[in-house]
Amino acid sequence: MKKIKRIAVCTGGGDAPGLNAVIQAVAVSAANRGWDCFGIREGFNGILFPERYDGNGVIRLTRDRVRGIGHLGGTILGTTNTGNPMSFPMTTPDGKTSEIDRTGEIAAYFASHEIDALISIGGDGSLTIAEHLCEKYGMCVIGVPKTIDNDLDKTFTTFGFDSAVSFATECLDRLHSTAQSHNRVMVVEVMGRYAGWIALHAGIAGGAHAILLPEIPYDINKVANKVRQRSAEGRDYSIVLVAEAAHACGSGMEIKAPAEVGHQERLGGVGEHVARELGILTHKEVRSVVLGHLVRGGGPTAFDRLTALRFGSAAVRALDLGMNRIMVALGMLGVDYIPLSEVAGRMRTVPLDCDTLQTGRDLGISFGD
Ligand code: F6P
């Protein structure tokens, strides 16, 4: 077993509250073992494009550098969800575009700088790259699951999710009073690219009257019935929470916003669409609000901060114990270690029989089905 002396950490994909707490725990736990710790800037860009960072694409993460960052949102390293190094977009001299695998450059950097292991903090995309680096180049990599969307398999939760749900719930609390004062329907759209976890949890906690999830294609007439039923019972306002990937039954299609060149396709607009249709069907005043990146910004809740610190320290402990090619995860009894091959490329959507969903149904919330 190779003795660890130098490690690097990177953050990839969309940011999530708690990233800085993981970085802090990794750097301090490494320093306490006498290891050097480095941070790669903006995913792997610090290695792939050193010129962009004036030679500082990979920075030393000393104890001083990470002091006092655990409660801060975002990531001190920066992150990116474009330019996956496994399929990097490139324009050939004849103007054609193709994709190339640049992961060899990352492996070569680690070898030439004698960095023994990588701690890769990210979602599905980053964990797939992590598994590829182990598989193809024999690199030592530990994954740390991150996403506000909570859609990663084999972990009870990802850090960032609780912060997103807490903020969205607070927004719903605020919208209740204004919706009630004006007898309006408020349609609120929240993030959740492949799964409706944020909408489900915030919707139930925040007392939404209808929740539309990508897992349950909705019938707008059913949602309108719910609004009408509430009015008939003297509750002349309603809150409808819509996950950005929700879609009407029969359509099978999410609503997409125009994407910038080179960026992943963006979801967005379903809230406005639902609001328009509800206005026509119910003849009520309807307003739509998109929470968008507000649910991803800001600092982590205490739960997310603690989870992130536990994940960071568990990742370093895993390396100290000689583990490789695993993801740290939150199990029911503590931190688990799961083979990367079991999580890479796997998505965890809301199971239709989960008790949280049943809770919503018991409370009379409409899911548009
Ligand atoms: O995966 C996290 C996430 O916040 C999704 O919920 C959302 O669809 C996406 O990222 C938005 O990405 P961007 O910041 O590129 O708009």
Side-chain angles (χ1 to χ4, degrees):
M1 188 175 96
K2 194 176 173 205
K3 220 171 157 9
I4 301 280
K5 289 198 211 81
R6 287 154 69 86
I7 66 169
V9 57
C10 68
T11 52
D15 68 336
L19 280 170
N20 282 324
V22 183
I23 294 169
Q24 184 181 49
V26 166
V28 173
S29 306
N32 285 339
R33 285 167 170 78
W35 304 350
D36 289 333
C37 181
F38 299 88
I40 307 167
R41 305 276 299 276
E42 298 180 352
F44 291 106
N45 285 351
I47 291 176
L48 300 176
F49 302 99
E51 71 285 357
R52 285 188 192 166
Y53 306 93
D54 283 340
N56 292 313
V58 179
I59 54 174
R60 185 91 191 269
L61 292 179
T62 60
R63 213 183 278 275
D64 282 345
R65 185 68 192 79
V66 300
R67 183 168 297 125
I69 65 168
H71 66 293
L72 300 177
T75 156
I76 60 163
L77 293 174
T79 187
T80 174
N81 54 12
T82 60
N84 179 345
M86 284 168 65
S87 49
F88 198 84
M90 203 192 76
T91 310
T92 51
D94 57 2
K96 293 200 179 114
T97 50
S98 62
E99 289 180 342
I100 53 165
D101 183 351
R102 295 191 63 185
T103 51
E105 295 168 54
I106 299 167
Y109 184 95
F110 272 68
S112 63
H113 290 76
E114 297 181 333
I115 300 176
D116 307 308
L118 167 69
I119 294 179
S120 174
I121 316 169
D124 173 50
S126 305
L127 296 171
T128 303
I129 298 166
E131 166 66 356
H132 179 80
L133 291 170
C134 299
E135 166 82 17
K136 191 159 178 192
Y137 308 103
M139 278 178 62
C140 176
V141 187
I142 307 290
V144 176
K146 163 251 47 164
T147 166
I148 61 162
D149 291 355
N150 197 37
D151 57 3
L152 294 181
D153 205 11
K154 307 275 180 191
T155 181
F156 167 66
T157 192
T158 52
F159 67 85
F161 175 62
D162 185 61
S163 309
V165 169
S166 300
F167 178 77
T169 303
E170 189 193 325
C171 292
L172 292 187
D173 290 345
R174 286 168 180 261
L175 288 169
H176 271 275
S177 58
T178 176
Q180 189 164 15
S181 304
H182 287 265
N183 294 328
R184 281 176 176 155
V185 178
M186 301 295 304
V187 178
V188 186
E189 180 184 310
V190 286
M191 282 188 172
R193 195 170 181 77
Y194 303 107
W197 291 107
I198 297 176
L200 178 66
H201 283 223
I204 293 177
H209 307 110
I211 303 174
L212 307 184
L213 308 175
E215 290 85 352
I216 307 177
Y218 65 84
D219 175 348
I220 195 69
N221 294 299
K222 299 268 172 65
V223 187
N225 285 344
K226 176 72 187 176
V227 171
R228 285 195 209 100
Q229 180 206 334
R230 283 180 53 75
S231 293
E233 290 167 356
R235 295 183 299 279
D236 209 13
Y237 79 101
S238 292
I239 307 276
V240 179
L241 186 54
V242 189
E244 63 179 354
H247 49 269
C249 47
S251 81
M253 294 245 297
E254 305 103 349
I255 297 183
K256 304 208 168 101
E260 302 96 344
V261 180
H263 285 247
Q264 67 175 356
E265 232 171 5
R266 279 169 48 197
L267 299 178
V270 67
E272 185 57 39
H273 178 74
V274 166
R276 250 194 326 270
E277 291 201 307
L278 280 182
I280 294 167
L281 289 170
T282 64
H283 306 292
K284 285 188 65 64
E285 217 183 337
V286 187
R287 293 283 191 276
S288 77
V289 181
V290 180
L291 297 187
H293 291 80
L294 287 169
V295 299
R296 223 168 75 186
T301 57
F303 178 84
D304 277 343
R305 205 188 302 179
L306 178 61
T307 304
L309 291 167
R310 289 170 73 193
F311 279 177
S313 104
V316 171
R317 278 202 309 281
L319 288 174
D320 211 3
L321 291 168
M323 292 188 213
N324 181 15
R325 214 168 168 175
I326 50 113
M327 177 188 88
V328 300
L330 201 59
M332 289 315 280
L333 301 174
V335 164
D336 287 338
Y337 296 108
I338 312 286
L340 272 176
S341 57
E342 287 183 21
V343 289
R346 300 264 183 92
M347 209 39 96
R348 188 172 63 107
T349 55
V350 175
L352 297 185
D353 59 353
C354 74
D355 84 280
T356 317
L357 195 54
Q358 298 303 330
T359 303
R361 294 198 190 279
D362 285 340
L363 293 173
I365 296 171
S366 165
F367 289 90
D369 58 343

